[in-house]
């Protein structure tokens, strides 16, 4: 029970710290993804998706570069949270305490088999 309480308190703390960080006056330079007009009709409904280009294999490197920029921004925000090493340590301990309760999934062909624990 103590590990569950610690897990939820840590989660609550992390979420609150992130929320406080976002409502502060800090300004972040978000990566900008280009847009490319794409319209299609599915079941009689017109759908517009300016970011459809991201799903094309030919744009894979550009999407990876954009995702990397987003990851760097997210990491810089997380790294700016005071006490983040302590939060990470407590998070890992709380998750570790739940090992016996976590279900693991393994894909075999088109099926997913779930088993409890790490066995």
């Amino acid at each position: 029970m103590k590990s569950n309480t610690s897990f939820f308190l840590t989660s609550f703390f992390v979420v609150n710290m992130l929320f406080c960080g976002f409502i502060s006056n800090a300004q972040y330079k978000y990566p900008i993804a280009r847009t490319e007009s794409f319209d299609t009709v599915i079941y009689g409904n017109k759908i517009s998706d300016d970011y459809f280009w991201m799903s094309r294999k030919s744009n894979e490197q550009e999407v990876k570069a954009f995702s990397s920029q987003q990851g760097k921004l997210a990491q810089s925000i997380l790294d700016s949270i005071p006490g983040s090493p302590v939060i990470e340590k407590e998070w890992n301990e709380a998750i570790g305490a739940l090992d016996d309760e976590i279900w693991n999934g393994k894909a075999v062909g088109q099926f997913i088999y779930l088993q409890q624990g790490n066995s």
Side-chain angles (χ1 to χ4, degrees):
M1 182 67 176
K2 184 181 177 197
S3 65
N4 286 343
T5 303
S6 175
F7 173 76
F8 290 113
L9 287 176
T10 302
S11 298
F12 178 76
F13 180 73
V14 169
V15 169
N16 279 327
M17 291 301 294
L18 288 172
F19 180 75
C20 290
F22 284 117
I23 62 170
S24 71
N25 291 331
Q27 296 293 314
Y28 301 107
K29 187 173 190 273
Y30 293 94
I32 298 172
R34 70 176 170 89
T35 58
E36 180 180 295
S37 186
F38 177 83
D39 297 322
T40 189
V41 177
I42 299 177
Y43 298 113
N45 296 313
K46 181 181 177 190
I47 297 174
S48 297
D49 183 357
D50 291 341
Y51 301 97
F52 183 79
W53 66 268
M54 290 182 161
S55 66
R56 294 188 184 119
K57 180 76 173 162
S58 60
N59 297 320
E60 183 176 3
Q61 293 305 317
E62 186 178 358
V63 173
K64 283 182 180 180
F66 175 74
S67 295
S68 176
Q69 291 173 352
Q70 286 184 314
K72 287 176 185 174
L73 172 64
Q75 192 61 57
S76 72
I77 293 169
L78 293 172
D79 289 345
S80 71
I81 297 172
S84 56
V86 174
I87 296 168
E88 181 179 8
K89 179 180 178 285
E90 288 183 11
W91 179 269
N92 290 334
E93 288 173 358
I95 292 294
L98 295 173
D99 267 353
D100 293 337
E101 301 176 31
I102 296 175
W103 287 74
N104 295 316
K106 180 178 181 182
V108 178
Q110 62 181 343
F111 300 100
I112 297 175
Y113 296 93
L114 297 172
Q115 63 187 27
Q116 191 172 14
N118 289 326
S119 54

